[in-house]
C-alpha cells in the first residue's frame, strides 16, 4: 500500500509539472517529454483494484428498445387497445383487459363471449396487417370424449393431450411414436386417435362428427360439438367464419381450459423482397375456463370466463422485419408542427407561439438554438416526419399572421394567428393513420 501511495504522489507531482509547462507555453518538445514521463508513471501505477467498477448491463430476459422500436410497439398496442375498447373492454391496473360480455347473475348464451373473443382476435390481426392468418378452434370436452372412446386411460389424458398438441409442428408418425414409445400407449389406441386428430374443416366437420356413432355417444364430446355448431352460427353472423377452422389436433396444454379453445397462426409472413422467412408460431390464443376463478372464491362458485392473449413480442418481430425489408421510415414522435423563425432574434416570439400551441393541445416543438437557419429547421421536419411548420418572420409579426408550411407539398399559406390552432387541427386530423 505504501509503495502505491508513493507512486500516486509521483503521478500527481508530474501532472502538476506538465500543467505548469503548458501554462508557461513551454516548447512542444519539452511538454511531450514530460507527458511521456507521466504516462510511464501511470503505467507503473496500473488500475486501482479497490475502486468499484460499474458495468451497465441489460437484465437477463429483458431488452432495450430504441425510439424507432418503441414507436412500432406503441402503434401495435394502440391497435389492440382500441379494438378491445370498441368491444366494451375495461382496463384494470395489472394491466389486463377484462371483457364485460355478460352478467353472471343472469342467464346468457355461453357461446356469444367465445364468438366475440374470436371476432376481436380477427379484428386485431387484420388491423395489424401482418399477413394472412387462420384461427383454429376445438373444445376440450371433444378432446376428452375422443380420448375416452379411443381407449386412452384417464391417467394418460393430459400427457397424450400434450403429444397431440405437437401436430402443428411434427408429423403424425412422430407424434404416434412419442405416444407409444415414450408414453406407453397401445398402438391400436394411437391409431384410433390418429383417425380423428388429422381432421380439420368447418361447420360441416362438426355436423359429420355429430353423426359419428361412437363420438356422439359420449356426453362430453356431444356437448362440445353442439356448442361448436352454435359457435359457427355466430361466427357466420360476425362475418369471420372463413377465418376459422375446426381442428381436432388443437389441444392447448393448459389444464384450466374447460370448453372452446382457439389459436391464431400466420399462414405466411408478408412476402416482400429481401425478407427472410420468419417462423413465429401462434400469434394469439385463448379459450373458456369456467372453473378457474371459482378456485379463488371462498364459496367455490362457478364463474363463466373466456379470455384471449395476443403474442405481442412475436408480432413486433414480424412488423420490425417488414419495416426493415421495405426500408420504411417510422416516426418516433407525434409532433404536429414545428415552430420556426425566418430571421434572427426571434427566439422569444418562437417561445411564445409554441407555448400557445401547447396550451391549445397541439403537439409542437422548436429548435433550441437561438438563431437557427430556416433551411436547417425545414430539413429537421423532413427527417423527423413533422407534417407542418409554423414560420414566424418580422413581416408576419407586423401583419398578425403565421406562415403555415406543408412539409410534403412545400405549399405555404398565411394564417391569422387566432385561427392557427384550428387550421393545424384541421390539417392534421386529415392525415391521421395507424401504420
Amino acid at each position: 500500500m505504501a509503495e502505491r501511495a508513493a507512486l500516486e504522489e509521483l503521478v500527481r507531482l508530474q501532472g502538476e509539472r506538465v500543467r505548469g509547462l503548458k501554462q508557461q507555453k513551454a516548447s512542444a518538445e519539452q511538454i511531450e517529454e514530460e507527458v511521456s514521463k507521466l504516462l510511464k508513471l501511470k503505467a507503473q501505477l496500473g488500475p486501482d483494484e479497490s475502486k468499484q467498477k460499474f458495468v451497465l448491463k441489460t437484465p437477463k430476459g429483458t431488452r432495450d428498445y430504441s425510439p424507432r422500436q418503441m414507436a412500432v410497439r406503441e402503434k401495435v398496442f394502440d391497435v389492440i387497445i382500441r379494438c378491445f375498447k370498441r368491444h366494451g373492454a375495461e382496463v384494470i391496473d395489472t394491466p389486463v383487459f377484462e371483457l364485460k360480455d355478460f352478467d353472471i347473475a343472469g342467464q346468457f348464451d355461453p357461446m356469444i363471449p367465445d364468438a366475440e373473443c374470436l371476432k376481436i382476435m380477427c379484428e386485431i390481426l387484420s388491423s395489424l396487417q401482418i399477413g394472412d392468418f387462420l384461427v383454429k378452434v376445438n373444445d376440450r370436452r371433444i378432446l376428452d370424449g375422443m380420448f375416452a372412446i379411443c381407449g386412452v386411460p384417464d391417467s394418460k389424458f393430459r400427457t397424450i393431450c400434450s403429444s397431440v398438441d405437437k401436430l402443428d409442428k411434427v408429423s403424425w408418425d412422430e407424434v404416434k411414436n412419442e405416444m407409444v414409445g415414450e408414453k406407453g400407449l397401445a398402438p391400436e389406441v394411437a391409431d384410433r386417435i390418429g383417425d380423428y386428430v388429422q381432421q380439420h374443416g368447418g361447420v360441416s366437420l362438426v355436423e359429420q362428427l355429430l353423426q359419428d356413432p361412437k363420438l356422439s355417444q359420449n356426453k362430453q364430446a356431444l356437448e362440445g360439438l353442439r356448442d361448436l355448431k352454435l359457435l359457427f352460427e355466430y361466427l357466420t353472423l360476425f362475418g369471420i367464419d372463413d377465418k376459422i377452422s375446426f381442428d381436432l389436433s388443437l389441444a392447448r396444454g393448459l389444464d384450466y381450459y374447460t370448453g372452446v379453445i382457439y389459436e391464431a397462426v400466420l399462414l405466411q409472413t408478408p412476402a416482400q423482397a429481401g425478407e427472410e422467412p420468419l417462423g413465429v408460431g401462434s400469434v394469439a390464443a385463448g379459450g373458456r375456463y369456467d372453473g378457474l376463478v371459482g378456485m379463488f372464491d371462498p364459496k367455490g362458485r362457478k364463474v363463466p370466463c373466456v379470455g384471449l392473449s395476443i403474442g405481442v413480442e412475436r408480432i413486433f418481430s414480424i412488423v420490425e422485419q417488414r419495416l426493415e425489408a421495405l426500408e420504411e421510415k417510422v416516426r418516433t414522435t407525434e409532433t404536429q408542427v414545428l415552430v420556426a423563425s425566418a430571421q434572427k432574434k426571434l427566439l422569444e416570439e418562437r417561445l411564445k407561439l409554441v407555448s400557445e400551441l401547447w396550451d391549445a393541445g397541439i403537439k409542437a416543438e422548436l429548435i433550441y438554438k437561438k438563431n437557427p437557419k430556416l433551411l436547417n429547421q425545414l430539413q429537421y421536419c423532413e427527417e423527423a416526419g413533422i407534417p407542418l411548420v409554423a414560420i414566424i418572420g418580422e413581416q408576419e409579426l407586423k401583419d398578425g399572421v403565421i406562415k403555415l408550411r406543408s412539409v410534403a407539398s412545400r405549399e405555404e399559406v398565411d394564417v391569422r394567428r387566432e385561427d392557427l390552432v384550428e387550421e393545424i387541427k384541421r390539417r392534421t386530423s386529415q392525415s391521421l393513420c395507424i401504420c
Side-chain angles (χ1 to χ4, degrees), residues 34 49 62 77 116 119 138 170 175 177 222 236 242 265 294 309 329 349 357 364 414 419:
E34 296 304 322
E49 299 296 336
T62 66
F77 275 124
E116 189 170 6
K119 174 69 171 174
N138 199 0
V170 299
V175 170
N177 287 338
L222 188 61
T236 302
D242 61 326
V265 295
S309 61
K329 194 170 185 178
E349 295 298 333
L357 295 176
D414 287 342
D419 299 330

Side-chain angles (χ1 to χ4, degrees), residues 24-36:
Q24 296 166 18
K25 296 184 179 179
S27 67
E29 293 80 5
Q30 189 178 1
I31 293 173
E32 188 176 336
E33 183 182 348
E34 296 304 322
V35 167
S36 178

